[in-house]
């Protein structure tokens, strides 16, 4: 696959390197990304280039229907309609919402449209394409990848290695001794292969420098913050902490009230932003700017009830578990440490959940914890993962008390 057209990325950038690796014939190209680095923008622009500058057939696969609808809309915005007004992007999976400017299953399209579908759909009927792009690739197991990419000549995998990986609903003990096992995340297996070219995005545009440094232990590559200047009046920096007393119950009402207080304290504060062109703006924070991320569904239910009790409409302030809020972003986030009052499971303690909890904010994070977190991590089965999590928590609890 070759092209003489100019790539849509800065010269020497990881994004340019990834597309050049495809053009040079690498069967696999992996792009690692920190949170908020513009993964979707990269995918949409890379697909546009492949579609317009090469004769390649391209399919994009996502883990969920929602992700598929979102990336289809982004690619359609890049490509626009063809000369006859026909969509150049088509959704194949029937359960996906079809955005404006995108063709649904069976609808008329341009010649050689970019198709979007779920990984589950690709497993059933692998797309015969030149390039298969896997978005949020760290949510995909190697077993699922192997089936989904069976008929693709080349694959481009883009994802965040710090995020929550796939949930494997069966016993994997039979493969636990294997260095490349079917339940492993697909990029982790492919990264060990010489024929796979690997790149990492160097900047986060969502997180500020304090957060980028705090979560750095969760990533095998370095990155920095290129976030525009943002701040909230009355709050120093971008991270604050709230320490609560050690309590037996992780759903303790007093603790949940403290969490709700921290969330509602954001409302009405002045958000100050500086656009890339230097333009400055201010506005008051509203409910839609605030989220609370927890590790237990019962905590989410308790907090939702407390917020309603205080007069907030259901869902006005977003409340949810890390699994549910992965992929979202809000200006102000209150995150409740999963180690609170002890740990229920290794599942809750994974560094992936910690990463999601500490990277949803665009402007400010409030970290709620108790002093027992070190004891909990010392008992974790995965000492390596616990060590990375401990390094992040050590950074977080060094910030000022709210």
């Amino acid at each position: 696959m070759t092209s003489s057209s100019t790539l849509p990325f800065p010269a020497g950038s990881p994004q340019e390197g990834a597309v050049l690796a495809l053009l040079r014939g690498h069967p696999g190209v992996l792009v690692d990304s920190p949170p908020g680095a513009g993964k979707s923008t990269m995918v949409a622009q890379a697909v546009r280039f492949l579609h317009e500058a090469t004769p390649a057939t391209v399919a994009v696969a996502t883990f969920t229907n929602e992700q598929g609808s979102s990336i289809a809309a982004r690619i359609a915005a890049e490509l626009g309609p063809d000369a006859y007004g026909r969509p150049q992007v088509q959704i194949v999976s029937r359960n996906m919402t079809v955005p404006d400017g995108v063709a649904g299953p069976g609808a008329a399209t341009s010649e050689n449209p970019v198709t979007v579908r779920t990984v589950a759909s690709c497993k059933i009927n692998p797309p015969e394409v030149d390039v298969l792009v896997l978005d949020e690739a760290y949510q995909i197991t190697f077993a699922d990848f192997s089936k989904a990419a069976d008929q693709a000549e080349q694959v481009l995998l883009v994802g965040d290695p710090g995020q929550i990986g796939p949930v494997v609903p069966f016993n994997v003990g039979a493969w636990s001794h294997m260095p490349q096992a079917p339940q492993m995340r697909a990029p982790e297996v492919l990264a060990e292969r010489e024929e796979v070219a690997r790149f990492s995005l160097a900047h986060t545009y969502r997180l500020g420098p304090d957060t980028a440094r705090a979560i750095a232990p969760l990533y095998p590559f370095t990155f920095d913050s290129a976030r525009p200047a943002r701040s909230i009046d009355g709050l120093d920096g971008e991270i604050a902490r709230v320490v609560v007393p050690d309590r037996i119950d992780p759903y303790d009402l007093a603790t949940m009230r403290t969490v709700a207080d921290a969330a509602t304290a954001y409302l009405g504060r002045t958000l100050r932003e500086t656009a890339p062109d230097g333009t400055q703006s201010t506005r008051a924070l509203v409910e839609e700017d605030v989220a609370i991320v927890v590790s237990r569904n019962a905590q989410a239910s308790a907090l939702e009830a407390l917020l309603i009790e205080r007069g907030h409409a259901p869902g006005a302030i977003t409340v949810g578990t890390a699994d549910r809020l992965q992929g979202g972003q809000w200006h102000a986030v209150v995150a409740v440490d999963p180690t609170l009052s002890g740990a229920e499971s290794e599942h809750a303690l994974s560094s992936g959940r910690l990463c999601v909890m500490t990277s949803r904010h665009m402007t400010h994070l409030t970290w709620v914890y108790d002093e027992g977190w070190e004891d909990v991590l010392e008992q974790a089965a995965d000492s390596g993962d616990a060590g990375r999590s401990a390094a992040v928590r050590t950074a977080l609890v060094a910030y000022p008390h709210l």
Side-chain angles (χ1 to χ4, degrees), residues 246-277:
D246 290 340
R247 293 176 171 127
I248 296 174
D249 187 353
Y251 322 108
D252 182 88
L253 186 57
T255 299
M256 294 299 99
R257 282 178 175 152
T258 298
V259 174
D261 288 343
T264 55
Y266 281 121
L267 300 177
R269 289 184 182 270
T270 299
L271 170 69
R272 299 185 181 275
E273 297 184 86
T274 301
D277 64 0

Side-chain angles (χ1 to χ4, degrees), residues 42-402:
M42 181 205 161
V43 168
Q45 292 180 345
V47 169
R48 184 192 72 191
F49 174 81
L50 293 173
H51 181 78
E52 293 180 344
T54 78
T57 53
V58 181
V60 180
T62 60
F63 187 66
T64 68
N65 287 311
E66 291 76 14
Q67 292 167 351
S69 295
S70 176
I71 198 63
R74 295 289 292 270
I75 297 170
E78 288 284 338
L79 287 175
D82 70 1
Y84 301 98
R86 299 174 299 185
Q88 299 194 80
V89 181
Q90 182 174 37
I91 279 177
V92 176
S93 297
R94 295 192 176 276
N95 291 328
M96 277 186 194
T97 300
V98 180
D100 292 341
V102 176
T109 66
S110 64
E111 295 182 9
N112 188 26
V114 174
T115 58
V116 180
R117 56 202 300 183
T118 61
V119 172
S121 168
C122 293
K123 287 168 56 182
I124 297 170
N125 185 19
E128 297 185 30
V129 291
D130 294 310
V131 181
L132 175 63
V133 181
L134 292 158
D135 193 20
E136 299 293 356
Y138 280 88
Q139 294 182 340
I140 303 166
T141 65
F142 181 60
D144 287 348
F145 163 82
S146 299
K147 295 178 182 178
D150 183 59
Q151 299 297 316
E153 292 294 324
Q154 294 176 287
V155 290
L156 169 63
L157 300 94
V158 182
D160 181 344
Q163 302 286 293
I164 300 170
V167 176
V168 180
F170 52 82
N171 189 335
V172 299
W175 303 286
S176 60
H177 65 288
M178 298 173 61
Q180 298 184 1
Q183 78 277 5
M184 292 176 63
R185 301 193 292 184
E188 292 173 338
V189 175
L190 296 176
E192 300 300 319
R193 302 189 174 185
E194 293 183 0
E195 67 271 24
V196 174
R198 190 173 190 181
F199 302 87
S200 58
L201 302 185
H203 311 292
T204 171
Y205 299 95
R206 179 198 305 153
L207 306 176
D210 289 347
T211 307
R213 284 191 295 268
I215 67 172
L218 302 178
Y219 288 85
F221 57 92
T222 59
F223 61 93
D224 60 24
S225 171
R227 187 194 74 172
R230 285 197 293 265
S231 63
I232 298 174
D233 281 5
L235 298 173
D236 293 331
E238 63 192 85
I239 301 175
R241 62 187 175 93
V242 172
V243 59
V244 296
D246 290 340
R247 293 176 171 127
I248 296 174
D249 187 353
Y251 322 108
D252 182 88
L253 186 57
T255 299
M256 294 299 99
R257 282 178 175 152
T258 298
V259 174
D261 288 343
T264 55
Y266 281 121
L267 300 177
R269 289 184 182 270
T270 299
L271 170 69
R272 299 185 181 275
E273 297 184 86
T274 301
D277 64 0
T279 304
Q280 297 184 347
S281 63
T282 62
R283 66 174 178 85
L285 288 173
V286 296
E287 293 169 318
E288 290 75 13
D289 295 316
V290 181
I292 305 173
V293 57
V294 296
S295 60
R296 299 166 170 91
N297 286 316
Q299 289 174 326
S301 298
L303 287 164
E304 288 169 343
L306 285 172
L307 292 171
I308 291 171
E309 183 182 84
R310 298 178 184 204
H312 300 280
I317 292 177
T318 301
V319 182
T321 62
D323 299 69
R324 187 170 77 82
L325 299 191
Q326 181 166 239
Q329 59 181 22
W330 296 264
H331 275 291
V333 173
V334 180
V336 181
D337 193 337
T339 68
L340 198 73
S341 303
E344 291 183 343
S345 67
E346 292 294 320
H347 172 85
L349 288 182
S350 75
S351 61
R353 277 165 190 79
L354 177 64
C355 184
V356 170
M357 291 179 144
T358 53
S359 63
R360 298 304 93 203
H361 59 287
M362 299 164 61
T363 307
H364 195 270
L365 169 71
T366 297
W367 180 246
V368 181
Y369 69 103
D370 63 32
E371 299 286 5
W373 64 268
E374 290 179 290
D375 293 335
V376 173
L377 292 181
E378 285 179 359
Q379 300 170 27
D382 187 337
S383 59
D385 198 55
R388 291 186 290 271
S389 296
V392 174
R393 287 177 169 87
T394 299
L396 293 174
V397 302
Y399 284 96
H401 193 283
L402 191 63

